[in-house]
């Protein structure tokens, strides 16, 4: 059995029973980053994860919510000093959210500027259909020594993946990314020392139900097939990458 698995982008507060979801991560020893979509969710999530060994909470303002919630940036900034992890943040240029892209950029810029100063933060970043602008902004606002950035559910091109790697980004890979040939071949070419795993549960599915952190084992097995390695080797690499990402 695989142990020490990592789910570096999950929304535990969106499951029907968040305390039970947290308890399961603890019981199975799955290192889980639970991201939030609005800063309003921060206090409650922090409270739920308090004292846990495996679960950490990220402070977010989701780009898909910026059109309605840009005014929550002040609240995000209020909680910012308490947070080591930042997410879900970023940009989304898919048709449904394209209209708010300029506003999203203003918000993401403020977020990156905050992350550029003071204690170092670890970011889980959304970049749907807008990888170039996301990387431009990271380069502009985060000094290279301070870039602890994980691109979550990366669906950019091979060239964009190579540039993201040069910029210093990690990639959290989920099962959906391994279903399509185009994305599979991009994942196959990522440097092994930049790969993390995620479910993005409950937004991905497994066996007809929302995926949960324990489903990471399937992603690790699939990654092993894509990379021609043993699942245990992938799990060990991901654990090592997480350690490097978090090292002071
Ligand atoms: Mn997400």
């Amino acid at each position: 059995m695989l142990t020490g698995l990592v789910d570096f982008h999950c929304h535990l507060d969106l499951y029907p029973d968040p305390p039970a979801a947290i308890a399961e991560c603890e019981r199975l020893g799955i290192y889980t980053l639970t991201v939030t979509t609005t800063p309003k969710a921060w206090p409650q999530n922090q409270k739920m994860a308090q004292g846990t060994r495996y679960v950490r909470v990220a402070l977010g303002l989701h780009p898909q919510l910026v059109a309605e919630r840009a005014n929550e940036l002040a609240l995000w900034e209020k909680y910012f000093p308490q947070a080591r992890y930042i997410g879900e943040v970023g940009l989304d240029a898919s048709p449904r959210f394209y209209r708010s892209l300029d506003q999203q950029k203003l918000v993401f810029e403020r977020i990156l500027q905050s992350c550029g100063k003071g204690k170092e933060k670890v970011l889980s970043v959304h970049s749907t259909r807008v990888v170039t602008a996301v990387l431009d902004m990271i380069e502009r606002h985060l000094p290279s020594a301070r870039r602890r950035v994980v691109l979550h559910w990366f669906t950019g091109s091979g060239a964009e993946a190579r540039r993201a790697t040069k910029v210093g980004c990690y990639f959290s890979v989920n099962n959906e990314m391994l279903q399509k040939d185009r994305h599979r071949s991009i994942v196959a070419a990522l440097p092994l020392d930049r790969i993390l795993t995620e479910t993005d549960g409950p937004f991905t599915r497994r066996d007809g139900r929302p995926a949960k952190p324990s489903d990471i084992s399937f992603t690790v097995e699939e990654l092993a097939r894509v990379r021609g390695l043993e699942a245990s080797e992938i799990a060990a690499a991901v654990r090592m990458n997480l350690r490097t990402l978090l090292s002071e």
Side-chain angles (χ1 to χ4, degrees):
M1 198 187 122
L2 295 165
T3 56
L5 298 178
V6 175
D7 185 351
F8 207 69
H9 184 111
C10 183
H11 299 259
L12 292 183
D13 63 345
L14 302 183
Y15 288 83
D17 187 348
I22 290 174
E24 182 163 289
C25 295
E26 288 289 287
R27 188 168 56 79
L28 301 173
I30 301 170
Y31 296 94
T32 304
L33 184 68
T34 179
V35 297
T36 53
T37 56
T38 152
K40 279 196 176 139
W42 171 258
Q44 174 70 10
N45 276 275
Q46 266 297 83
K47 213 165 133 198
M48 283 192 301
Q50 218 166 40
T52 57
R53 175 153 181 221
Y54 293 97
V55 180
R56 297 292 179 268
V57 184
L59 172 65
L61 182 46
H62 199 296
Q64 294 177 349
L65 297 182
V66 159
E68 308 97 71
R69 291 177 180 262
N71 63 344
E72 289 184 29
L73 186 58
L75 191 60
W76 184 94
E77 285 172 340
K78 176 187 158 188
Y79 294 132
F80 176 77
Q82 304 172 19
R84 177 167 190 218
Y85 300 88
I86 303 299
E88 181 163 0
V89 296
L91 302 177
D92 191 318
S94 54
R96 243 181 98 197
F97 305 102
Y98 194 81
R99 260 185 314 157
S100 68
L101 189 58
D102 286 340
Q103 206 179 7
Q104 293 176 39
K105 284 181 178 169
L106 291 175
V107 167
F108 189 44
E109 181 175 73
R110 288 271 292 275
I111 287 173
L112 290 173
Q113 283 168 342
S114 298
C115 294
K117 313 176 279 227
K119 208 169 174 303
E120 279 186 44
K121 310 290 184 181
V122 178
L123 288 77
S124 182
V125 172
H126 181 112
S127 59
T128 305
R129 297 208 186 184
V130 64
V131 174
T132 297
V134 165
L135 296 178
D136 287 347
M137 290 176 73
I138 289 169
E139 280 194 316
R140 186 168 325 130
H141 298 293
L142 287 181
S144 58
R146 299 179 61 93
R147 286 181 204 149
R148 296 173 188 249
V149 176
V150 182
L151 298 178
H152 119 83
W153 202 332
F154 178 85
T155 53
S157 67
E160 286 169 330
R162 286 189 292 278
R163 182 174 166 218
T165 304
K166 278 204 195 100
V167 168
C169 297
Y170 288 70
F171 303 83
S172 53
V173 174
N174 66 45
N175 222 24
E176 303 269 324
M177 291 167 66
L178 299 170
Q179 304 306 314
K180 290 192 187 125
D181 284 345
R182 190 176 81 85
H183 297 150
R184 255 178 106 87
S185 58
I186 285 165
V187 170
L190 294 176
L192 186 60
D193 64 0
R194 297 294 181 83
I195 292 180
L196 297 174
T197 44
E198 65 163 51
T199 57
D200 201 13
F203 295 109
T204 58
R205 297 185 79 75
R206 175 94 216 161
D207 297 335
R209 48 142 180 96
K212 48 188 184 167
S214 55
D215 296 321
I216 279 293
S217 57
F218 299 108
T219 307
V220 169
E221 280 159 17
E222 199 57 31
L223 262 170
R225 274 189 284 275
V226 170
R227 305 289 303 218
L229 291 169
E230 296 294 325
S232 59
E233 293 175 295
I234 295 287
V238 167
R239 227 162 24 240
M240 168 90 84
N241 297 345
L242 182 63
R243 201 171 306 142
T244 307
L245 175 69
L246 303 183
S247 61
E248 296 290 339

